[in-house]
């Protein structure tokens, strides 16, 4: 089957990147598109029910379309210089490409793929944060959606694939480990920011006290 929107995806992605001179606008385009397709399919086909989750190996055209777009995106993004300095992203992209190729070849686990594509909802807010669009709100929403969507679906996917496909289960386990690493990094950054703010506040208070003492001393001398 020919998917014209998939054919048009990469040229549009490159066009947005060239026009805006900012990779995060094109990444925003990708994340909105893929997460939009997957959410629409999950809602319309009622793939959020327990019955659907028990049949996650079911394959469909929308899942195939989403996987193809992801394959194009991750393949192209490998040429981005930022990726070379981030081992986490290299591992993530490699995992997505390997699992995508497997699913496309055997034509199974379509519902699983749709749920994994929903993970890009959190990346929408990450891209908005990098673009300084409602930065504080986007950062908070990124944390909420990251934990709420990725943190809940990944363990379920591991459980569901364990007895059916050990290869995909192993790949998702690696992805889980990567997400735990990212969460620990985020917690570390939050702690560093909190410590920096506390030190800045303490320094400010010390400066205020020093200023007060100088004023009192100056007043006493004048008396």
């Amino acid at each position: 089957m020919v998917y014209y929107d998939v054919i048009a995806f990469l040229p549009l992605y490159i066009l947005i990147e060239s026009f805006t001179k900012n990779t995060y606008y094109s990444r925003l385009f990708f994340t909105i598109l893929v997460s939009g397709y997957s959410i629409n399919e999950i809602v319309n086909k009622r793939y959020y029910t327990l019955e659907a989750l028990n049949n996650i190996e079911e394959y469909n055209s929308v899942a195939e379309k989403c996987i193809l777009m992801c394959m194009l995106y991750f393949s192209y993004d490998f040429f981005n210089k930022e990726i070379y300095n981030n081992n986490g992203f290299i591992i993530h992209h490699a995992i997505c490409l390997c699992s995508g190729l497997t699913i496309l070849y055997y034509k199974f686990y379509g519902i699983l793929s749709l749920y994994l594509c929903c993970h890009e909802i959190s990346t929408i807010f990450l891209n908005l944060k990098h673009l300084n669009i409602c930065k504080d709100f986007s950062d908070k929403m990124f944390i909420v959606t990251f934990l709420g969507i990725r943190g809940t679906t990944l363990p379920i996917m591991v459980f569901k694939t364990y007895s059916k496909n050990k290869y995909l289960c192993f790949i998702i386990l690696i992805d889980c480990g990567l997400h735990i690493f990212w969460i620990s990094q985020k917690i570390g950054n939050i702690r560093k920011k909190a410590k920096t703010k506390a030190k800045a506040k303490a320094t400010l208070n010390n400066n205020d006290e020093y200023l007060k003492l100088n004023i009192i001393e100056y007043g006493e001398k004048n008396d």
Side-chain angles (χ1 to χ4, degrees), residues 87-89 91-93 95 146 173-183:
N87 292 330
F89 278 120
I91 294 168
H92 178 262
H93 284 26
I95 287 170
F146 188 95
L173 271 174
I174 296 172
D175 199 22
C176 285
L178 188 60
H179 280 73
I180 291 168
F181 171 71
W182 282 338
I183 290 168

Side-chain angles (χ1 to χ4, degrees), residues 4 11-12 18 20 25 30 37 56 75 81 87-88 93 98 109 115 127 137 159 186 188:
Y4 294 104
L12 281 171
S18 301
T20 61
Y25 279 110
F30 162 71
Y37 272 132
I56 56 170
S75 299
K81 291 179 181 178
N87 292 330
H93 284 26
C98 289
Y109 289 99
Y115 270 95
N127 290 326
F137 174 76
F159 178 74
K186 187 66 178 177

Side-chain angles (χ1 to χ4, degrees), residues 71-193:
M71 297 281 289
L72 288 169
Y73 165 73
F74 291 123
S75 299
Y76 179 79
D77 206 44
F78 258 126
F79 295 97
N80 193 318
K81 291 179 181 178
E82 293 176 17
I83 297 297
Y84 301 140
N85 300 321
N86 194 319
N87 292 330
F89 278 120
I90 292 172
I91 294 168
H92 178 262
H93 284 26
I95 287 170
C96 292
L97 287 170
C98 289
S99 56
L101 283 170
T102 305
I103 291 168
L104 286 174
Y105 182 79
Y106 290 105
K107 294 189 181 298
F108 61 3
Y109 289 99
I111 296 176
L112 179 142
S113 302
L114 291 172
Y115 270 95
L116 292 176
C117 286
C118 283
H119 290 182
E120 296 305 327
I121 293 170
S122 63
T123 317
I124 291 172
F125 294 105
L126 182 64
N127 290 326
L128 289 172
K129 178 190 170 184
H130 283 297
L131 291 168
N132 292 316
I133 299 172
C134 302
K135 192 170 182 178
D136 291 335
F137 174 76
S138 296
D139 188 39
K140 289 173 184 175
M141 285 303 297
F142 167 68
I143 295 169
V144 170
T145 52
F146 188 95
L147 295 174
I149 298 172
R150 298 184 184 224
T152 55
T153 56
L154 278 172
I156 294 170
M157 296 302 109
V158 170
F159 178 74
K160 291 293 182 182
T161 54
Y162 178 74
S163 59
K164 296 183 178 182
N165 192 299
K166 294 292 190 294
Y167 173 70
L168 281 178
C169 181
F170 177 69
I171 289 177
I172 296 171
L173 271 174
I174 296 172
D175 199 22
C176 285
L178 188 60
H179 280 73
I180 291 168
F181 171 71
W182 282 338
I183 290 168
S184 64
Q185 270 193 329
K186 187 66 178 177
I187 292 169
N189 291 335
I190 290 169
R191 285 179 176 175
K192 282 180 183 178
K193 285 180 182 179

